Amino acid sequence: MEPDLKNNKPECDFDQCDFICVHESVVNQVLNAMPKEQELLDLADFYKVFGDATRIKILYVLSQSEMCVCDVANLLQMSQSAISHQLRVLKQMRLVKFRRDGKTVFYSLADGHIETILAQGMEHISE
């Protein structure tokens, strides 16, 4: 930060209050509405899953159709083991579900919320 010689204050790239004044009623209202710490940590972990391009691709593929690991791997031109690893993560976070049909395991999105999250994310980046 470069000093502002006129006001004898450091310049900032963001707006900030010129004086300290805590608005206790607003702070207390927000504190009462805040989820518990563990819930916020779980939410952060949930969104971390969406931070991987391969997992996003898999979720998008499964939003179009239920598929087995072989089909997903072929479609994304990746190894079955790489897809299986990512599906394991997605399954642990309850984003995908599976069903067995004989020797084949088919994966699909766990529920409609996941498709909504993907659609809203695509809408956001398109703006």
Side-chain angles (χ1 to χ4, degrees):
M1 280 188 267
E2 293 292 319
D4 178 357
L5 300 177
K6 289 182 232 170
N7 295 323
N8 205 15
K9 291 185 198 174
E11 288 183 26
C12 296
D13 290 341
F14 55 89
D15 291 330
Q16 59 185 357
C17 296
D18 291 333
F19 65 98
I20 297 174
C21 174
V22 175
H23 300 90
E24 288 189 35
S25 63
V26 174
V27 170
N28 288 332
Q29 181 182 356
V30 172
L31 270 176
N32 289 332
M34 285 286 287
K36 293 178 181 158
E37 184 71 18
Q38 188 57 52
E39 290 174 322
L40 292 172
L41 293 172
D42 291 344
L43 183 61
D45 287 340
F46 174 77
Y47 280 108
K48 283 179 190 174
V49 173
F50 291 90
D52 180 271
T54 298
R55 289 192 289 262
I56 290 290
K57 288 177 188 176
I58 292 170
L59 290 171
Y60 185 79
V61 163
L62 296 179
S63 75
Q64 301 303 302
S65 178
E66 174 185 71
M67 297 182 96
C68 71
V69 174
C70 301
D71 292 338
V72 176
N74 182 274
L75 185 71
L76 298 181
Q77 298 181 341
M78 296 178 67
S79 71
Q80 287 185 35
S81 65
I83 297 299
S84 291
H85 172 73
Q86 297 300 341
L87 283 167
R88 194 172 311 113
V89 172
L90 294 169
K91 199 166 44 171
Q92 287 172 342
M93 293 304 294
R94 297 177 296 166
L95 298 176
V96 299
K97 62 184 178 182
F98 67 95
R99 71 173 180 85
R100 185 175 291 279
D101 186 5
K103 294 183 178 184
T104 306
V105 178
F106 290 94
Y107 288 87
S108 60
L109 295 183
D111 58 49
H113 295 114
I114 311 311
E115 196 166 345
T116 300
I117 291 167
L118 290 172
Q120 287 181 340
M122 290 299 289
E123 183 181 332
H124 181 75
I125 64 169
S126 298
E127 292 178 346

